[in-house]
Amino acid sequence: MAVGFLLSAFTTYAATPYDGPEAGSIGVTGTMPGKPPTVGAVITSPINNQRFATSPVEIKGTCPKGLLVEIFKNDIFAGSTFCEDNGTFSIQIDMLYGRNVLLARVYDALNQPGPDSPAVTIFYDF
């Protein structure tokens, strides 16, 4: 009889509607990755082989709107900015003495990189 009472109590408890997570439970959420960006940024200013006597230099270009644009000089991270709604970016970065090879790389919200921009070589001669 005691076993029958326990089984009926368990059945009644298990049949109650689920009200959500209990105290001490853990919720898990996630984001399924999509395809990484297929269109990269393009540096439009400065132009290739341009020389500068002052630093910082303003880097401008085009990009897919809403993505993060990271600028690299000689394969060293130089700074980042978001692509504006009009599909452009602008950022000032300090130059290294001599030759600076610049490239821009876009990243989506999941930190997936897009293609690198064509390299632009500029010179800082103070």
Side-chain angles (χ1 to χ4, degrees):
M1 183 176 206
V3 172
F5 176 73
L6 288 174
L7 283 176
S8 67
F10 178 77
T11 304
T12 303
Y13 175 74
T16 58
Y18 179 68
D19 292 329
E22 302 297 323
S25 65
I26 298 172
V28 177
T29 60
T31 304
M32 293 299 294
K35 293 183 180 181
T38 57
V39 176
V42 175
I43 298 171
T44 57
S45 176
I47 59 172
N48 214 24
N49 293 319
Q50 194 169 352
R51 294 190 174 273
F52 294 89
T54 60
S55 181
V57 171
E58 185 172 27
I59 310 299
K60 296 180 181 181
T62 60
C63 50
K65 67 180 181 177
L67 299 183
L68 179 71
V69 180
E70 290 189 355
I71 304 296
F72 296 85
K73 59 183 176 192
N74 299 345
D75 294 324
I76 301 168
F77 175 76
S80 63
T81 187
F82 281 100
C83 187
E84 300 293 330
D85 288 339
N86 64 2
T88 64
F89 71 90
S90 176
I91 186 172
Q92 290 195 355
I93 63 169
D94 290 321
M95 294 288 99
L96 299 172
Y97 179 72
R99 180 179 169 199
N100 291 264
V101 179
L102 306 175
L103 69 86
R105 184 178 300 140
V106 295
Y107 289 88
D108 65 11
L110 297 175
N111 204 30
Q112 298 179 109
D116 289 348
S117 70
V120 173
T121 301
I122 62 173
F123 297 89
Y124 174 46
D125 307 312
F126 58 90

